[in-house]
Amino acid sequence: MSTTPQAAPRRATITDVAREAGTGKTSISRYLNGEMSVLSPELRARIEAAIARLDYQPNQMARGLKRGRNRLIGMLLADLTNPYTVEVLQGVEAACHALGLMPLICHAANEVEMERRYLQLLTTYRVEGVIVNALGVREETLRPVGGGGIPAVLVDRSVDGLVTDMVGLDNRAAAELGTRHLLDNGFDEIWFVVQPFEQVSSRQLREAAFREAMSAQGEQRGKSAARGHTLVLNLADADEVARSLAELDRAIDAAAQASDAAAATGNAARIALFAANAPVALCLALHLKARYGADWQARVALLSIDDPDWAELTGVTTIRQPTYEIGYRAVEFLHERIEGVQTIARDCLLPGELIVRASTLR
Amino acid sequence: MSTTPQAAPRRATITDVAREAGTGKTSISRYLNGEMSVLSPELRARIEAAIARLDYQPNQMARGLKRGRNRLIGMLLADLTNPYTVEVLQGVEAACHALGLMPLICHAANEVEMERRYLQLLTTYRVEGVIVNALGVREETLRPVGGGGIPAVLVDRSVDGLVTDMVGLDNRAAAELGTRHLLDNGFDEIWFVVQPFEQVSSRQLREAAFREAMSAQGEQRGKSAARGHTLVLNLADADEVARSLAELDRAIDAAAQASDAAAATGNAARIALFAANAPVALCLALHLKARYGADWQARVALLSIDDPDWAELTGVTTIRQPTYEIGYRAVEFLHERIEGVQTIARDCLLPGELIVRASTLR
DNA sequence: CTGTTAGCGCCTTCAA
DNA sequence: TTGAAGGCGCTAACAG
């Protein structure tokens, strides 16, 4: 049955409790702050009873105003659409809970302007610190943070000119690990596919490490060196995506022809795609499936940084990031800063884990 | 180069601005609240300048304390692991932004105790309302909310005894839509697979609607009626999952045998799985893939409520929920309540959309 | 051990 | 048009 939800009656305040318990506000405050040693058992009992009777709950805002700290931290997210973000968020949540912090979540939805506005808003709520999964771009936007402003820790990527703690994947090692895996499995042609990376440090590092690993391959391999390419996939622009995918298609077709030709000599060319993160991998997989059918993996191998749930289902090899831990550590770092720790800015690089699946094995 | 991030200097207060502008706090306050008509252009200019010089930002907490409203709302999430939750969250985020609200996100991670604690915590921050994607369970936990407490709106599921607005999928229609689709495509045996549903209204409704649709099938079909089964999959307990899946396996094998036998008569039995939500569907898909290999869809059809990103990739038919809108509407409802709207508790049931893919077609 | 007092940063009468 | 004073709910000296 539906009845009318009613407006909440005014909540009890510390004054109410004091009156109810027949004492002063100070004693109530002491009780709330656990200073039991300075409260007679008798008074204490009265207070307890009064609190229970009034269902009293101290007002965090008022406490915060007085103490100058409200246990609020901001969490600025670039893109909730990315499973990476959600996983990090879980770590953040857990750590906050453990440390008695309360996260204010803001989703910039890939818009720089939003990022700026939210940062300002957070500042207005006097959060004690912020964890920022920045859009990248320039320091400009993040002015209120780090350095002279609120303590901050960056997640996944660093921002030029911003001196703060940062925690994320060891991108160099991860990209190298993936490239090596592909090389070791005899692929002749490897395409590293990544979103525009001028602005985003983690993408830059991954791409650079990929190229280096390709250059360094020579020694290990008996046969001729595998070719490496970098393809930029701008997921924000459907036309650009289409163009990039077309380029990829041509390469795949060419490899297939070469492969057919070489098949006679038992030396078929093999092509692999190395996706810089899950959104890219998903885009690639969807395209390949549309183009080559359910059996697309027989034609192209796919390896991805990030380990979305569909990877296991489709047998795609991945490099899993310790996302939960990244979020957790970020909060720990921030907490230390809030407590006044004064070390130099720290970088915490966590290793990725290669999860080999059918896709990259033959 | 790493230097030491420094502690933030104290932020300017309204008093600082007043002094800097050579006026009283009252005028500053008026300026902040847009009461421009009562400020001489001259004073106004001075204030503007002072604010800029001091980089002043009003303290929301203090304003909140005074006004009795802080524009904060709580968002209680049962399970961030479920893509549904994240999608709803995006709608919530967007609506909050549009309405000038700030969401405090809390993740109960499927633990009732957490749900209780967070609700209490939110109350302590004096949020003006809460949006609850409840774990289900009983009203007990949600006491501080609805009725006499903070305005609340429920998402996805309602809770017995709690009188509040609620917004979610039209479960009955969705389950019926799915069942009909399966029936229309000639499946002889349909298993509805769902997590324990005694406590969760949405699951209950889906299951009930499935059974009803199965009962009501007779008239439409020329051939003998398809059989319907309900299988409970308790994802929280690995052993139970194993048992349930084993039961399913037996059914699938039996159907296969019958199918072989009937093949001669050109009348093979066909079996379909109807997953009540994405987590269930994922569990099923992973299991089937492990058991029957990449080609598992040739043996069993899968239909799922929820449309995770891997559905398109694997060709699984789904019923997509308008998740973003659900989140958005929830905030709108809540906002109305906060503004004092006093109607009876409303239910907003949004329709799901059937997305037919290869899985359920032959 | 306990209560009184003075603010935290802001808004809101009420006078000027 | 402007400002002074009081108070939101709480904490932190400072007395008693």
Side-chain angles (χ1 to χ4, degrees):
Chain A
M1 241 199 47
S2 282
T3 63
T4 303
Q6 3 185 337
R10 203 178 63 56
R11 298 221 56 129
T13 76
I14 201 174
T15 310
D16 299 329
V17 180
R19 189 176 345 97
E20 178 83 13
T23 176
K25 301 195 293 179
T26 311
S27 297
I28 312 298
S29 177
R30 293 209 175 97
Y31 176 86
L32 294 178
N33 292 296
E35 300 170 37
M36 298 310 181
S37 54
V38 283
L39 286 180
S40 67
E42 194 271 335
L43 212 208
R44 180 173 160 183
R46 264 157 51 213
I47 294 180
E48 235 150 34
I51 287 182
R53 228 170 305 140
L54 267 39
D55 185 28
Y56 168 70
Q57 313 212 202
N59 181 330
Q60 276 303 322
M61 295 315 178
R63 306 181 103 170
L65 187 57
K66 183 70 206 175
R67 294 179 151 156
R69 52 186 336 193
N70 54 21
R71 317 276 59 202
L72 251 29
I73 70 171
M75 165 101 232
L76 196 46
L77 270 15
D79 180 15
L80 261 177
T81 264
N82 190 335
Y84 170 85
T85 305
V86 180
E87 290 168 25
V88 169
L89 185 52
Q90 295 181 51
V92 168
E93 261 287 343
C96 281
H97 189 73
L99 295 173
L101 263 19
M102 188 75 165
L104 287 177
I105 313 291
C106 303
H107 182 205
N110 284 319
E111 299 199 27
V112 183
E113 180 53 19
M114 280 247 171
E115 181 168 284
R116 211 186 49 67
R117 291 233 298 265
Y118 266 132
L119 223 36
Q120 217 230 235
L121 194 56
L122 286 174
T123 241
T124 251
Y125 275 102
R126 296 295 186 272
V127 293
E128 298 184 35
V130 283
I131 294 179
V132 184
N133 175 216
L135 282 176
V137 216
R138 20 214 179 67
E139 177 197 359
E140 187 84 11
T141 319
L142 302 180
R143 172 129 26 160
V145 138
I150 320 171
V153 8
L154 260 25
V155 157
D156 184 66
R157 24 183 176 269
S158 53
V159 173
D160 271 358
L162 246 204
V163 180
T164 59
D165 294 333
M166 110 105 201
V167 17
L169 179 68
D170 184 338
N171 290 295
R172 301 197 53 76
E176 191 181 326
L177 183 64
T179 310
R180 284 272 254 297
H181 169 75
L182 259 16
L183 256 15
D184 289 347
N185 279 272
F187 289 95
D188 303 294
E189 186 173 345
I190 306 179
W191 286 70
F192 186 81
V193 191
V194 57
Q195 290 169 276
F197 56 87
E198 310 80 34
Q199 308 277 29
V200 182
S201 69
S202 52
R203 294 177 193 157
Q204 266 174 36
L205 290 170
R206 291 173 196 181
E207 199 272 341
F210 163 73
R211 276 191 289 104
E212 275 176 42
M214 290 303 290
S215 310
Q217 68 178 294
E219 307 89 60
Q220 277 95 309
R221 309 230 316 178
K223 57 182 195 168
S224 62
R227 281 156 299 152
H229 309 268
T230 291
L231 180 70
V232 173
L233 198 63
N234 184 0
L235 296 178
D237 181 326
D239 289 342
E240 282 191 46
V241 167
R243 272 198 296 280
S244 299
L245 291 177
E247 184 179 348
L248 197 57
D249 289 342
R250 283 192 295 277
I252 293 174
D253 292 344
Q257 289 191 323
S259 180
D260 289 346
T265 71
N267 192 13
R270 298 167 60 203
I271 190 167
L273 271 30
F274 188 169
N277 65 13
V280 166
L282 183 61
C283 176
L284 290 175
L286 286 171
H287 171 72
L288 294 171
K289 192 208 168 202
R291 187 153 198 263
Y292 299 109
D295 197 31
W296 60 273
Q297 299 206 57
R299 294 175 149 270
V300 209
L302 180 57
L303 164 62
S304 174
I305 291 184
D306 285 342
D307 185 52
D309 51 15
W310 53 266
E312 175 68 25
L313 196 55
T314 52
V316 166
T317 296
T318 63
I319 295 170
R320 170 186 289 157
Q321 298 196 50
T323 45
Y324 183 90
E325 195 182 349
I326 290 175
Y328 207 103
R329 296 294 294 265
V331 175
E332 289 181 330
F333 272 14
L334 189 59
H335 185 245
E336 290 176 23
R337 291 293 182 196
I338 291 175
E339 295 306 322
V341 172
Q342 292 277 352
T343 62
I344 60 169
R346 297 161 290 184
D347 273 19
C348 174
L349 265 27
L350 271 11
E353 175 195 4
L354 179 69
I355 301 181
V356 179
R357 299 207 180 84
S359 173
T360 56
L361 300 175
R362 300 278 157 103
Chain B
M1 241 199 46
S2 283
T3 63
T4 302
Q6 4 184 334
R10 201 175 65 53
R11 298 220 58 129
T13 75
I14 200 174
T15 310
D16 300 326
V17 180
R19 191 179 340 101
E20 178 82 13
T23 176
K25 301 194 292 179
T26 312
S27 296
I28 311 297
S29 176
R30 293 209 175 97
Y31 176 87
L32 294 178
N33 293 295
E35 299 172 36
M36 298 309 182
S37 54
V38 282
L39 286 180
S40 67
E42 194 272 335
L43 212 208
R44 178 174 160 182
R46 263 159 49 215
I47 294 180
E48 236 150 32
I51 286 183
R53 229 170 305 139
L54 268 39
D55 186 29
Y56 168 70
Q57 312 211 205
N59 181 330
Q60 275 304 322
M61 295 315 176
R63 305 183 104 168
L65 187 58
K66 185 70 206 169
R67 294 178 150 158
R69 51 185 336 191
N70 54 20
R71 317 276 59 202
L72 251 28
I73 69 170
M75 165 99 232
L76 197 46
L77 268 16
D79 180 16
L80 262 177
T81 264
N82 190 336
Y84 170 86
T85 305
V86 179
E87 290 168 26
V88 169
L89 185 53
Q90 295 182 51
V92 168
E93 260 289 341
C96 280
H97 190 74
L99 295 173
L101 263 17
M102 186 74 165
L104 286 177
I105 314 290
C106 303
H107 181 207
N110 283 319
E111 300 199 26
V112 182
E113 180 53 20
M114 279 246 171
E115 181 168 286
R116 211 186 49 67
R117 292 232 299 264
Y118 266 133
L119 222 37
Q120 218 231 227
L121 194 56
L122 286 173
T123 241
T124 250
Y125 276 101
R126 295 296 186 271
V127 294
E128 299 184 35
V130 284
I131 295 179
V132 184
N133 175 217
L135 282 176
V137 216
R138 20 213 179 69
E139 178 197 359
E140 187 84 10
T141 319
L142 301 180
R143 172 132 23 160
V145 138
I150 320 170
V153 9
L154 261 24
V155 157
D156 182 68
R157 23 180 175 272
S158 53
V159 173
D160 271 358
L162 247 203
V163 179
T164 60
D165 294 335
M166 109 107 201
V167 19
L169 178 69
D170 185 339
N171 290 296
R172 300 197 53 77
E176 190 180 326
L177 183 63
T179 309
R180 285 272 254 295
H181 169 73
L182 259 15
L183 256 15
D184 289 347
N185 278 274
F187 289 95
D188 304 293
E189 185 172 346
I190 306 179
W191 286 70
F192 186 81
V193 189
V194 57
Q195 289 169 277
F197 55 86
E198 310 79 35
Q199 309 278 28
V200 181
S201 69
S202 52
R203 296 177 193 157
Q204 265 174 36
L205 289 170
R206 291 173 196 181
E207 200 272 341
F210 163 73
R211 275 191 287 107
E212 275 176 42
M214 289 304 289
S215 310
Q217 67 178 298
E219 306 88 61
Q220 276 95 311
R221 310 230 316 177
K223 57 181 196 167
S224 62
R227 279 156 300 151
H229 309 267
T230 290
L231 179 71
V232 173
L233 198 63
N234 183 0
L235 295 178
D237 181 327
D239 288 342
E240 282 191 46
V241 167
R243 272 198 296 280
S244 298
L245 291 177
E247 182 178 348
L248 198 57
D249 288 343
R250 282 192 295 277
I252 294 174
D253 292 345
Q257 288 191 324
S259 179
D260 290 345
T265 71
N267 192 14
R270 298 167 59 205
I271 188 167
L273 271 29
F274 188 168
N277 66 13
V280 165
L282 183 61
C283 176
L284 290 174
L286 286 171
H287 171 72
L288 294 171
K289 193 209 168 204
R291 185 153 199 262
Y292 300 108
D295 197 31
W296 61 272
Q297 300 206 58
R299 295 177 150 268
V300 209
L302 180 58
L303 164 61
S304 174
I305 291 185
D306 285 342
D307 186 51
D309 50 16
W310 53 266
E312 175 67 25
L313 195 55
T314 51
V316 167
T317 295
T318 62
I319 295 170
R320 170 186 288 157
Q321 298 196 50
T323 45
Y324 183 91
E325 197 183 348
I326 289 174
Y328 207 102
R329 296 294 293 264
V331 175
E332 289 181 331
F333 272 14
L334 189 60
H335 184 246
E336 289 176 25
R337 291 294 181 192
I338 291 175
E339 296 305 322
V341 170
Q342 293 277 352
T343 62
I344 59 168
R346 297 162 289 184
D347 273 18
C348 175
L349 266 25
L350 270 11
E353 176 195 3
L354 179 68
I355 301 180
V356 179
R357 299 206 180 85
S359 173
T360 55
L361 300 175
R362 300 278 156 100

